[in-house]
Amino acid sequence: MRTPWLQRVVGLLILAAVALAAALLWWGVAASEPPTLWAPVQVTLAGAWTVLYDAHAPDARVVVAAIAVAVLLGAAVASTERFVANRTRRTPAHVRTRPLAPKVVMAATRGVFAGHVTFTVLIPAHNEEASLSATLASLLAQSRPPERIVVVADNCTDGTVEIARRSGVEVFETSGNTEKKGGALNQVLREVLPGQGDNDVVMVMDADTTLDDGFLAEASRRFTDDRALMAVGGLFYGEPGHGLIGQFQRNEYLRYSREIQRRRGRVFVLTGTASVFRPAALRAVAGTRDVQLPGRNGDVYDTAALTEDNELTLAIKSLGGLTVSPSQCTVSTELMPTWRMLWAQRLRWQRGALENLGAYGVTPQTLRYWAQQVGIGYSVIALGAYLLLFALMVLAVDSWVWFPFWLGLGSLFVVERVVTVWKGGWAARLLAAAILPELLFDMFLNVVYVKGILDITRGRQATWKHLAKAA
C-alpha cells in the first residue's frame, strides 16, 4: 500500500500537471506563427508524381493547445483513479452496501486463520473435445496444481465428457440449462460454494484456454498475502496460427496485457479465459442480486448479460472488492479464424459491455468504463475522418507534401506501435510497423462498435455464438 507522503506527492504531481496545462493553454493563445525554416523543395518522381517537401511547422497555438488538452485529460484520469482507489480502501466497516470493501473484509477476518489456499477449478464446456485435453494438461502440469478440477459439461453432444473422465477429473453435467455459460456455472456453483472455506478459492477458466506455468502459484501467493483481495484475473495472449487475422488479434491482446502490466495489475475485466475468486466474493454477489445488483437473487452470474465476465467484474467492484491481474498469471486463448467469427465475437463483447454499463449506471466504479466508451466513440469519428481524408487526398492531388513536424510525430507513432508488441516477435513487429493494416483493423472494430449501438437502439435481440473447433 502507498504511504501517505507518497499519496501527497502523487496529488501534487497531478496539480502541477494541471497548472502546466493551464499555462500552456494561456501561452498558446498568445503564440505567433513560426517562421519558415527553409524554402519548400519540389521533386518530380518518374516524371509523373510531384513531391513537395515543406518546412512549415503547424501553428504553435494548435500544437500547444493539443498538448495542454492531453495533459488535462491525463490528469483527470489519474485523479479519478486515485479517488476511486482511496475511497474503496477507506470504506467504513459499518457500510452494509459494500460488503467486499477491504476495511470490512479485514475487520471480519482479523485474527482468523482460514487455512491454506486451495483451488477448485470449474471448466464450462460445450462440445470442446478438440481443445479440452490441452486445457486439462496445462492445469495438471502447474508447479502448484489445483486440488479439484470439475468439467462443467453443458448440453454436450461430442466426446467432451469422455475426455474429461479419461483425464481423471470430475464431470458435472448440467440439467435443462438454456442460459448458456452463465446458467451452467450457476448450476455447479450452487453445489460447490456451500462447501468452500474463505481460502478455498474458485477458478473459472474456458475449455479452449491453456495456463502458463506459475499461474496458480502466483494466485496462491496473492491470496495468502492479502486477505482483502477478492479476485485474481489472467492476462491473455493469442494462440499461434490463423494467418493475418490471427496476428491482428495477437497484437491487440499483447497491447492490452502490456497496458494492464503498466497499471500494476489494476484490471478492467476479470476475463473468462481464467480468473480466480474468493468464495466470499461470489456469495456476496449472489446474495445482492435483485437488491443492489442486476440479475436473479442467488445467481452468481447474471444470465441476461452477453459478457458474463465483464458483468461479474462490475458486480465485484460495485461491492467494493479488490481485484488484480498479475503479470505472472498468463494464459493462451483461442482466436477467431475468420472475419465473420471475429465480427460476431466482438459484436457480442461490445454489446455486452454497453448493456452492462446501462444496467449499472454511472458510479465511481463504472466511471472509467464510461470514459472508455466515450473514447471509442471519439475514435470512430477521428479515425474514420482521417482515413477518408487520406484517401481523398491521394485521389485528388498530384503533389505529395511532406511536413517535417508531422513526419516526426508519425515516426513516434510507429515506434510506439512496434514497441508495444515487441514481445510478439518479428511478425508482430512488422505488422505494427506497416501502420495502415492495423489502422484498418481498428476501423473494423469501430464499425463493430457502431453496429452494437445501432442494434441496442433498435432493440434487436443479441445472440451468443459458439466456436466449434475441428478435432
Side-chain angles (χ1 to χ4, degrees):
M1 292 180 60
R2 293 173 179 169
T3 56
W5 69 266
L6 181 57
Q7 292 184 10
R8 287 194 293 270
V9 169
V10 172
L12 291 174
L13 288 175
I14 294 173
L15 290 175
V18 173
L20 174 62
L24 288 174
L25 280 172
W26 176 83
W27 182 83
V29 173
S32 59
E33 177 71 19
T36 303
L37 300 178
W38 59 76
V41 177
Q42 183 171 310
V43 179
T44 300
L45 300 178
W49 196 26
T50 302
V51 177
L52 179 65
Y53 188 87
D54 198 334
H56 278 93
D59 191 298
R61 288 170 293 182
V62 174
V63 175
V64 172
I67 295 173
V69 170
V71 173
L72 282 171
L73 288 175
V77 170
S79 298
T80 301
E81 285 193 340
R82 184 167 177 266
F83 168 76
V84 171
N86 288 346
R87 179 174 177 177
T88 299
R89 279 284 185 189
R90 298 171 185 173
T91 301
H94 66 275
V95 176
R96 299 296 182 185
T97 57
R98 295 172 63 79
L100 300 181
K103 196 164 186 177
V104 176
V105 175
M106 297 296 278
T109 59
R110 183 174 293 113
V112 177
F113 177 62
H116 297 289
V117 172
T118 69
F119 287 87
T120 295
V121 181
L122 306 180
I123 307 175
H126 171 69
N127 293 343
E128 298 285 1
E129 64 177 7
S131 56
L132 182 59
S133 294
T135 300
L136 294 174
S138 74
L139 271 170
L140 297 172
Q142 290 284 301
S143 57
R144 195 275 183 229
E147 280 71 19
R148 185 183 182 190
I149 301 174
V150 183
V151 173
V152 185
D154 181 37
N155 300 317
C156 292
T157 57
D158 65 353
T160 296
V161 173
E162 289 73 18
I163 290 173
R165 287 176 176 156
R166 284 202 306 267
S167 300
V169 302
E170 297 179 46
V171 176
F172 176 92
E173 296 189 63
T174 60
S175 175
N177 178 44
T178 59
E179 296 175 321
K180 303 296 181 182
K181 180 179 175 180
L185 287 170
N186 283 336
Q187 285 192 18
V188 69
L189 285 169
R190 289 190 192 101
E191 294 195 9
V192 169
L193 275 182
Q196 301 294 105
D198 287 346
N199 278 346
D200 298 326
V201 298
V202 176
M203 180 176 185
V204 178
M205 68 176 295
D206 288 341
D208 49 33
T209 296
T210 56
L211 300 184
D212 294 334
D213 190 25
F215 188 112
L216 296 187
E218 178 63 20
S220 178
R221 186 185 71 82
R222 294 281 180 150
F223 282 119
T224 300
D225 292 348
D226 190 350
R227 301 197 315 274
L229 182 62
M230 288 293 110
V232 173
L235 296 179
F236 51 91
Y237 297 90
E239 64 185 359
H242 306 305
L244 181 61
I245 189 174
Q247 193 61 59
F248 279 131
Q249 295 170 77
R250 281 190 291 275
N251 281 15
E252 180 187 15
Y253 292 170
L254 280 168
R255 291 192 178 100
Y256 174 80
S257 295
R258 188 175 187 274
E259 181 180 2
I260 298 301
Q261 290 175 20
R262 289 170 62 84
R263 287 167 52 83
R264 296 185 179 181
R266 288 177 294 175
V267 61
F268 294 123
V269 178
L270 294 165
T271 172
T273 55
S275 291
V276 193
F277 306 91
R278 283 197 193 273
L282 300 181
R283 293 187 188 113
V285 169
T288 52
R289 289 210 182 276
D290 201 30
V291 180
Q292 291 180 237
L293 303 175
R296 291 191 302 257
N297 191 263
D299 284 354
V300 173
Y301 286 90
D302 181 8
T303 55
L306 280 173
T307 48
E308 71 289 328
D309 50 358
N310 179 71
E311 196 281 334
L312 184 58
T313 305
L314 291 177
I316 292 174
K317 288 188 174 184
S318 296
L319 297 180
L322 291 180
T323 62
V324 68
S325 282
S327 59
Q328 299 89 340
C329 294
T330 58
V331 306
S332 176
T333 191
E334 72 172 356
L335 300 177
M336 296 297 104
T338 68
W339 289 102
R340 182 183 296 274
M341 289 179 176
L342 182 62
W343 173 275
Q345 180 200 57
R346 298 312 173 86
L347 184 59
R348 180 173 68 86
W349 288 4
Q350 188 57 58
R351 279 205 60 173
L354 289 169
E355 291 175 357
N356 290 340
L357 287 176
Y360 279 81
V362 180
T363 67
Q365 290 73 37
T366 63
L367 193 58
R368 183 180 181 91
Y369 296 88
W370 282 109
Q372 285 178 320
Q373 296 302 317
V374 172
I376 295 173
Y378 170 77
S379 173
V380 172
I381 299 171
L383 183 56
Y386 169 78
L387 293 175
L388 177 62
L389 291 174
F390 187 85
L392 289 175
M393 182 189 68
V394 171
L395 295 173
V397 303
D398 56 2
S399 296
W400 191 278
V401 182
W402 297 98
F403 290 94
F405 177 83
W406 296 116
L407 284 174
L409 284 185
S411 299
L412 289 176
F413 182 69
V414 172
V415 170
E416 186 272 338
R417 300 293 288 183
V418 173
V419 168
T420 52
V421 298
W422 192 262
K423 292 182 178 180
W426 285 108
R429 299 167 199 167
L430 289 174
L431 181 60
I435 295 297
L436 187 57
E438 285 200 319
L439 289 180
L440 294 175
F441 179 71
D442 290 341
M443 197 63 210
F444 170 83
L445 299 180
N446 286 344
V447 174
V448 173
Y449 171 82
V450 174
K451 179 65 162 56
I453 291 179
L454 291 177
D455 285 352
I456 292 175
T457 302
R458 292 184 295 175
R460 291 191 61 179
Q461 183 67 31
T463 58
W464 194 102
K465 295 186 178 181
H466 171 72
L467 171 61
K469 284 189 173 184

